[in-house]
């Protein structure tokens, strides 16, 4: 270690005392010798990556009494952090990975909070020569869960432990209480549980953090959280569009509606910020939202959720539509050209009961949200089977109840549903939600019909209702699809139990020679 960080280290009263104990008569000690002293390893945890999330998480841990070691690749950032945001705290900085690791108590706990992907692997590589068996590496970025599965395996093979933890709540959450979703090596959990649960948000006194499961389970659950975040945001955007284009309201009027909604079943962080965002004015006094380019960005977590839903054969339609709606928004130039050519209905006129329509819209948003969360939990149910995870749905709902972007009062009802019945097959079948949708559905249908008549796109609202109607159907028209598949490709079909006959035996893959001139050989085995 170089003496570069010495001055800063010596600001720590405990270290100063230790230096004196070294018997150097109060002079500057040999820092390398000092680092050999086990008492020197006094930091409870270390964090690499001093971007906004990293800095805030460190300060949060410091507030809860933990001594945190901080390191950043550009080391000037460490000094800046210690001189500014972390001034007067117990945070200790390091100017090299070696120095950083030497500051940590055993087993060492290192949080990496850098851009997901290659940067995480690069830091793991740099850490490895300095770590020992039983040490714990925690990746708190938005990593793709297959990477966390791989990292868990690779590090466990080297005798280390890995945790891939979802961290949600943005800057504010990281500073004062994020939602934390850790998964990976189960043996790591007892060592990090206290710190993680201390710094996490609390909901009704319970920490919004629990062990999610093995391997990539933590990052998987964070991915689904983000997918649901996309869905919630799209539903809110559609409601805004209906109020603005359909009812002709301005941003301030719409903000007031969101303020009202935030007092009822939709009470949530995203509704609350929408209220504030819509009321925000530019320097000229006009609302700022209409001045923002209507082209949505995305970093990929919503897309990963939709892709995984396709891989696992789960109809997570609302998140899929939310991702596609962002894609459509980004085709702005093409949309501008199409807008000149393609016609829709005449400009909306509303002559009905406005207050009733706004109530219907609130219920439409609520019902669609219930469907979206039900789809998210269906996906996690399948993922648990596929990856052999033991996902506790009640504790996932609790982790999302506070601290994170999708936090809401509604998640309390989801927590209750899964806690009352941990084997609940589908959220839509919980009696509370059966009743909630029943109450909402007339208004939900009225809103979507009206939006269609007006020509206002509502892919999230509409796909949620289509899913609901499909999911509650005893019979869907896939019989015709099977017949078509067998007709053109001899793909075979099966008979409905009770409708079997001599030519249609039960439980067998059947191929019919539909035209009389095809063969009787089927193309492949039956695949439901
Ligand atoms: C959170 C957020 C956070 C991030 C999103 C943004 O939970 O704190 O989800 O992780 O803001 O990933 O995602 P997009 O840039 O893809 O919208």
């Amino acid at each position: 270690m170089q003496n570069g960080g010495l001055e800063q280290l010596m600001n720590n009263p405990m270290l100063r005392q230790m230096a004196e104990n070294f018997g150097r008569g109060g002079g500057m000690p040999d820092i390398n010798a000092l680092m050999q002293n086990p008492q020197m390893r006094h930091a409870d945890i270390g964090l690499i990556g001093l971007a906004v999330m990293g800095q805030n998480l460190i300060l949060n841990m410091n507030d809860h009494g933990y001594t945190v070691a901080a390191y950043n690749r550009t080391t000037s950032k460490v000094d800046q952090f210690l001189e500014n945001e972390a001034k007067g705290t117990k945070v200790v900085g390091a100017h090299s990975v070696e120095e950083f690791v030497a500051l940590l108590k055993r087993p060492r706990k290192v949080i990496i909070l850098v851009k997901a992907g290659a940067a995480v692997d690069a830091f793991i590589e740099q850490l490895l020569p300095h770590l020992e068996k039983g040490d714990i590496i925690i990746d708190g970025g938005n990593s793709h869960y297959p990477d966390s599965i791989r990292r868990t395996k690779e590090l466990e093979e080297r005798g280390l432990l890995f945790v891939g933890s979802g961290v949600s709540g943005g800057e504010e959450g990281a500073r004062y209480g994020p939602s934390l979703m850790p998964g990976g090596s189960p043996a790591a959990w007892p060592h990090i549980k206290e710190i993680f649960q201390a710094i996490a948000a609390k909901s009704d006194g319970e920490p919004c953090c629990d062990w999610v499961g093995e391997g990539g389970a933590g990052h998987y659950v964070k991915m689904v959280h983000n997918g649901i975040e996309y869905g919630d945001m799209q539903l809110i955007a559609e409601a805004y569009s209906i109020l603005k284009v359909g009812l002709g309201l301005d941003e301030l009027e719409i903000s007031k509606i969101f303020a009202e909604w935030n007092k009822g079943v939709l009470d949530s962080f995203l509704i609350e910020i929408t209220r504030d965002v819509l009321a925000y004015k530019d320097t000229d006094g006009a609302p700022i939202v209409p001045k923002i380019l209507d082209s949505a960005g995305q970093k990929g977590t919503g897309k990963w959720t939709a892709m995984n839903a396709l891989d696992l054969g789960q109809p997570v339609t609302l998140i899929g539509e939310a991702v596609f709606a962002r894609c459509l928004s980004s085709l702005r130039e093409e949309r501008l050209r199409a807008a000149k050519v393609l016609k829709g209905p005449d400009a909306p006129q509303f002559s009905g009961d406005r207050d009733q329509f706004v109530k219907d819209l609130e219920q439409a948003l609520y019902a669609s949200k219930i469907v979206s969360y039900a789809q998210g939990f269906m996906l996690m149910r399948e993922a648990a089977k596929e990856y052999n995870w033991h996902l506790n749905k009640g504790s996932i709902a609790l982790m999302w109840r506070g601290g994170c972007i999708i936090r809401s009062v509604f998640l309390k009802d989801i927590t209750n549903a899964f806690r009352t019945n941990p084997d609940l097959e589908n959220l839509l079948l919980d009696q509370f939600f059966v009743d909630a949708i029943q109450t909402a559905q007339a208004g939900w249908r009225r809103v979507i019909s009206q939006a269609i008549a007006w020509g206002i796109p509502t892919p999230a609202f509409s796909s949620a209702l289509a899913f609901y109607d499909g999911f509650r159907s005893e019979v869907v028209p896939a019989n015709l699809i099977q017949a078509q598949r067998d007709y053109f490709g001899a793909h075979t079909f099966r008979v409905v139990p009770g409708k079997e006959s001599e030519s249609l035996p039960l439980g067998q893959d059947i191929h019919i020679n539909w035209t009389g001139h095809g063969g009787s050989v089927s193309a492949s085995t039956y695949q439901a």
Side-chain angles (χ1 to χ4, degrees), residues 107-271:
R108 301 176 181 95
K109 297 170 263 308
V110 178
I111 301 178
I112 301 176
L113 250 181
V114 298
K115 194 171 183 300
V120 177
D121 288 314
F123 271 115
I124 291 176
E125 280 307 312
Q126 284 182 51
L127 282 164
L128 281 176
H130 308 291
L131 296 180
E132 293 168 329
K133 282 198 185 330
D135 287 345
I136 302 162
I137 296 181
I138 303 156
D139 171 20
N142 260 334
S143 292
H144 200 193
Y145 74 92
D147 286 335
S148 301
I149 294 176
R150 170 179 60 78
R151 288 172 186 142
T152 307
K153 191 166 170 289
E154 285 172 2
L155 290 177
E156 284 182 352
E157 279 165 7
R158 290 165 168 253
L160 296 166
L161 302 173
F162 178 77
V163 175
S165 180
V167 177
S168 179
E171 189 180 337
E172 192 77 4
R175 181 67 185 85
Y176 299 108
S179 160
L180 297 171
M181 299 154 242
S185 311
W189 181 229
H191 298 287
I192 63 167
K193 182 177 176 181
E194 189 198 292
I195 301 183
F196 268 50
Q197 294 196 333
I199 64 165
K202 309 287 177 304
S203 175
D204 292 339
E206 293 186 80
C208 297
C209 169
D210 203 351
W211 184 248
V212 179
E214 305 82 343
H219 274 133
Y220 186 89
V221 167
K222 175 62 179 23
M223 176 190 82
V224 177
H225 163 283
N226 279 28
I228 290 177
E229 172 186 307
Y230 274 52
D232 281 358
M233 292 169 77
Q234 177 62 25
L235 287 168
I236 290 172
E238 290 176 17
Y240 161 62
S241 174
I242 290 172
L243 291 167
K244 187 171 168 83
V245 183
L247 296 194
L249 304 182
D250 66 25
E251 274 65 22
L252 286 182
E253 290 169 314
I254 301 173
S255 167
K256 286 189 188 127
I257 290 173
F258 275 89
E260 280 308 308
W261 287 354
N262 202 41
K263 296 175 191 157
V265 288
L266 296 177
D267 181 349
S268 60
F269 172 72
L270 284 170
I271 294 283

Side-chain angles (χ1 to χ4, degrees), residues 428-501:
L428 288 171
L429 301 181
D430 174 75
Q431 196 55 46
F432 178 86
F433 292 110
V434 169
D435 296 341
I437 292 213
Q438 186 49 30
T439 306
Q441 80 168 287
W444 191 15
R445 290 180 194 280
R446 279 194 292 271
V447 164
I448 292 171
S449 310
Q450 184 62 81
I452 289 170
W454 279 334
I456 299 172
T458 54
F461 279 121
S462 308
S463 71
L465 183 57
F467 174 87
Y468 178 73
D469 284 333
F471 187 63
R472 63 180 190 82
S473 296
E474 268 182 48
V475 178
V476 292
N479 46 350
L480 182 58
I481 292 170
Q482 286 297 80
Q484 291 166 331
R485 292 176 69 239
D486 192 53
Y487 184 108
F488 65 67
H491 293 297
T492 77
F493 61 88
R494 285 194 178 191
V495 71
V496 177
K499 297 201 174 171
E500 60 272 19
S501 65

Side-chain angles (χ1 to χ4, degrees), residues 255-256 258-259 262 270-280:
S255 167
K256 286 189 188 127
F258 275 89
N262 202 41
L270 284 170
I271 294 283
E272 182 187 317
I273 66 161
T274 307
R275 174 198 69 196
D276 297 345
V277 163
L278 287 168
Y280 196 91

